Amino acid sequence: MGLGQQCHAFFTPGPATIRLTVTDKHGATSYYEKTIIITNETLYTREEFNQLFAEIGEKYMFTGSSVPSMPLVKYARTSEPRMLIRSNSPETVYREGIVYRETGNGPARFMIHHLNATGRNVKMYVVATNINDTTASLTTEYVGFGGPSIYPNATGKVSVEKYFESMQSSKDYKTVYLQPGESRVILTELSALPMKEQQVISMFADVKTDSSVRYDVVMVEENKNPIQKLPFLQFLASDGIHNRGTYNDSTRLIESDELVGITPSRIALGDKTSDPNLTGHDGITGYETSNAGNFGVVYRIKLNRVAPNTLITLNPRGGKYMGSVMVNGNIVGAPNSGGVSAPNEASVLYRTGEYERSVEILFTAAPGSSLPVNILFTPLPKLKTNE
């Protein structure tokens, strides 16, 4: 094993070869290697080393069986009144149609995640219709889109990352006005490119209106006009596995005033118990629904007192996870590349340093990934020297 294999430290005694290639600005290269002997003396275990030195966004192995016994952080939970429109069933769409319909007034969030299995190229659209006899304003606030792609997990991760980037820049903020009875395609990123067979798209988007607007999420062949087709499209049935529904109060505010990080602790998200599912209804059938996993919910987690030298990581408990998290305004990959797997992998989100500080985490579950996840707060090992 050598540094050419991106090894940050050695944990096995014996000979190890370090290889180094240097390239100058003209493209000339020089190669050097040296074999060293690693002694039996251990400065840090592999887990301790990674806790201290793994880069933000990197993942590492640890003993995940200890997580369920960690105490839950005590916090106050409130919410903001934003309507969530989750269009995720049928996840695999086999024919043209309306996959979801809902009417909303005020702030709303779309979470859209579908796969094309029609056998032809299609496009997905969100059509907004003003159902009032006066002009309606519709403001797009934030948009994050991923795809089309054949990789659901990666597509979901990209949609979350771009959603957070939109929050940072406000580049997607714009207002349109709908005349009485007018229908218009909104969130045009969704339909910018056709979806080929077996490709997936994912979208998060926050909008707000000043009066009631009907939203239709539709899939039609790529060259067809969705507004002209809309009166003739059929509602598609839910697949009975994935979730669609309309849910109120979809921004969850979590705030803790206790000192976090002195001993190991956690916040569980999407576990149905400490983080209950939102309940709502299917906008097409009217049936009561439960938002499994709380996909589409945005969590604003404010920790007012995080102890010095605290490591904050994301640990999946339900399977593989590929997403992004915003920590103190910075977007962090969870992980930066690939996925982090349950139960024995953790992705590094943040370290507090030498002083107590407040930490604010913005999280929404990435479509295509598995829940629940835990946010872990762990005291860092003490720094050592080998002198």
Side-chain angles (χ1 to χ4, degrees):
M1 180 181 292
L3 291 183
Q5 296 171 283
Q6 296 183 344
C7 176
H8 299 299
F10 297 101
F11 300 98
T12 303
T17 301
I18 300 173
R19 302 178 180 89
L20 180 66
T21 300
V22 178
T23 304
D24 68 15
K25 64 180 181 180
H26 304 293
T29 63
S30 180
Y31 174 80
Y32 178 79
E33 71 174 44
K34 182 176 183 178
T35 298
I36 61 174
I37 302 300
I38 308 300
T39 70
N40 287 316
E41 182 182 3
T42 299
L43 188 62
Y44 299 108
T45 65
R46 189 183 300 269
E47 182 175 333
E48 289 172 337
F49 178 87
N50 285 315
Q51 287 178 325
L52 285 165
F53 302 113
E55 296 289 336
I56 301 298
E58 284 189 5
K59 65 180 181 181
Y60 67 90
M61 299 286 293
F62 78 118
T63 305
S65 59
S66 63
V67 171
S69 62
M70 291 182 185
L72 293 165
V73 173
K74 295 178 182 178
Y75 58 75
R77 183 176 65 231
T78 56
S79 60
E80 292 179 351
R82 184 174 292 272
M83 180 179 72
L84 169 64
I85 296 171
R86 180 177 177 183
S87 180
N88 190 199
S89 185
E91 183 174 88
T92 301
V93 184
Y94 294 96
R95 60 188 178 92
E96 288 186 324
I98 301 170
V99 294
Y100 202 67
R101 171 177 284 180
E102 187 53 86
T103 298
N105 180 5
R109 178 180 304 121
F110 291 88
M111 195 229 88
I112 301 170
H113 184 76
H114 292 284
L115 183 150
N116 174 27
T118 64
R120 56 186 68 112
N121 288 359
V122 298
K123 285 187 175 182
M124 292 207 73
Y125 299 87
V126 177
V127 179
T129 302
N130 181 4
I131 59 175
N132 309 282
D133 56 8
T134 56
T135 300
S137 72
L138 187 152
T139 299
T140 301
E141 298 172 302
Y142 313 121
V143 179
F145 176 72
S149 167
I150 60 172
Y151 303 105
N153 295 33
T155 303
K157 177 180 180 178
V158 170
S159 69
V160 173
E161 182 177 4
K162 291 187 177 297
Y163 179 56
F164 288 157
E165 288 175 356
S166 182
M167 291 183 182
Q168 289 178 324
S169 67
S170 298
K171 64 182 178 63
D172 297 301
Y173 198 94
K174 61 184 178 183
T175 300
V176 298
Y177 296 92
L178 302 174
Q179 299 305 310
E182 180 185 2
S183 294
R184 185 181 299 192
V185 173
I186 62 171
L187 308 177
T188 53
E189 294 87 347
L190 191 66
S191 52
L193 295 172
M195 298 171 65
K196 298 178 181 179
E197 175 74 4
Q198 296 302 307
Q199 285 188 331
V200 178
I201 55 90
S202 283
M203 173 174 272
F204 284 87
D206 285 1
V207 303
K208 62 182 178 182
T209 64
D210 65 354
S211 53
S212 295
V213 170
R214 191 186 75 206
Y215 302 109
D216 287 280
V217 184
V218 303
M219 179 182 281
V220 297
E221 290 187 38
E222 62 174 323
N223 295 320
K224 293 182 179 178
N225 184 311
I227 295 176
Q228 292 177 357
K229 287 280 295 182
L230 185 57
F232 307 101
L233 294 174
Q234 295 183 341
F235 293 116
L236 301 184
S238 172
D239 59 24
I241 301 171
H242 302 92
N243 188 277
R244 72 181 185 193
T246 302
Y247 305 97
N248 294 322
D249 303 323
S250 63
T251 299
R252 283 205 163 154
L253 308 177
I254 290 174
E255 185 167 5
S256 174
D257 289 322
E258 74 172 21
L259 183 60
V260 175
I262 294 294
T263 57
S265 60
R266 63 192 174 103
I267 292 176
L269 301 174
D271 69 340
K272 296 189 293 187
T273 305
S274 61
D275 178 37
N277 289 349
L278 289 176
T279 57
H281 66 273
D282 186 316
I284 293 176
T285 66
Y287 295 156
E288 183 176 319
T289 55
S290 176
N291 187 16
N294 276 340
F295 285 91
V297 173
V298 170
Y299 298 84
R300 294 186 178 273
I301 303 169
K302 188 175 181 182
L303 305 159
N304 293 319
R305 299 187 63 203
V306 183
N309 301 311
T310 296
L311 171 68
I312 304 178
T313 58
L314 182 143
N315 169 234
R317 305 305 298 176
K320 188 175 183 180
Y321 192 85
M322 295 174 63
S324 293
V325 180
M326 191 183 290
V327 184
N328 285 353
N330 298 311
I331 300 171
V332 178
N336 286 336
S337 61
V340 57
S341 297
N344 298 316
E345 290 184 354
S347 185
V348 178
L349 300 181
Y350 191 77
R351 295 182 182 90
T352 55
E354 297 181 5
Y355 303 98
E356 178 184 319
R357 62 188 61 197
S358 64
V359 176
E360 187 164 352
I361 299 171
L362 198 65
F363 174 85
T364 191
S369 285
S370 298
L371 291 180
V373 299
N374 278 197
I375 307 294
L376 307 183
F377 305 91
T378 310
L380 284 169
K382 292 188 179 297
L383 283 170
K384 305 174 185 178
T385 67
N386 57 0
E387 296 179 356

